[in-house]
Amino acid sequence: MPEPLRRAVHQLVCEAVTNCQEVLRYTEPDIARDWKRMTMTRATDASGTMDMTAMLIAAYCQHISMASHTLQNYLQVGQQEIRAHGPHEEDRAHVAGLMGEALSYEALRTPVNRTRHHPGQRQAEQAQRREED
């Protein structure tokens, strides 16, 4: 990787990591009253910064004439749609598991909902134990 690009990537990744650290900071009970807004804002800030990082690298790859289909494959362009429409049914199933709530019969019929609900239940059980430093 050319040095100027490497330094730009390092700067952007450090910025994203700082945003991720703030997400963690706002989860602490004694820090933020407005945790919902701040955790989502900082998480999407981190995501946006990582998107900028990927686009910077992609622009360099175009600059050196990388094939467009290879670039699209590396960028995993299909994943960008995931966040655009907000939480999906499987995300709500995961939250239900985290909150110790059962899924409706209809929701349980969808395999992806079951696969997201069960880990949420396990995480909820683990959250009852003392957290290690």
Side-chain angles (χ1 to χ4, degrees):
M1 179 179 281
E3 186 62 19
L5 179 61
R6 187 189 73 77
R7 287 185 185 205
V9 167
H10 277 235
Q11 181 179 354
L12 288 168
V13 170
C14 286
E15 183 180 327
V17 168
T18 298
N19 282 317
C20 290
Q21 288 173 324
E22 289 207 14
V23 170
L24 294 176
R25 193 183 80 172
Y26 283 108
T27 64
E28 296 300 322
D30 60 334
I31 299 293
R33 295 180 306 272
D34 198 14
W35 66 267
K36 295 172 199 139
R37 178 177 65 87
M38 293 307 295
T39 54
M40 281 192 281
T41 299
R42 292 299 176 249
T44 55
D45 286 348
S47 176
T49 302
M50 290 309 296
D51 284 343
M52 287 177 9
T53 305
M55 290 301 108
L56 181 63
I57 296 166
Y60 173 76
C61 290
Q62 278 184 331
H63 177 74
I64 61 168
S65 303
M66 177 182 276
S68 131
H69 68 278
T70 302
L71 184 59
Q72 295 295 309
N73 186 40
Y74 289 175
L75 286 172
Q76 304 176 63
V77 294
Q79 291 185 9
Q80 190 62 31
E81 296 288 321
I82 294 171
R83 245 190 6 256
H85 300 291
H88 296 87
E89 185 178 355
E90 60 267 21
D91 300 313
R92 289 186 286 276
H94 192 169
V95 167
L98 287 171
M99 298 296 110
E101 299 168 1
L103 288 181
S104 69
Y105 175 75
E106 285 300 314
L108 279 171
R109 292 180 62 187
T110 307
V112 71
N113 289 343
R114 288 192 307 271
T115 61
R116 294 288 300 274
H117 185 258
H118 294 306
Q121 289 176 313
R122 284 192 301 277
Q123 289 171 318
E125 290 166 8
Q126 290 170 352
Q128 300 303 314
R129 291 184 235 135
R130 189 170 179 345
E131 188 174 34
E132 299 289 327
D133 287 337

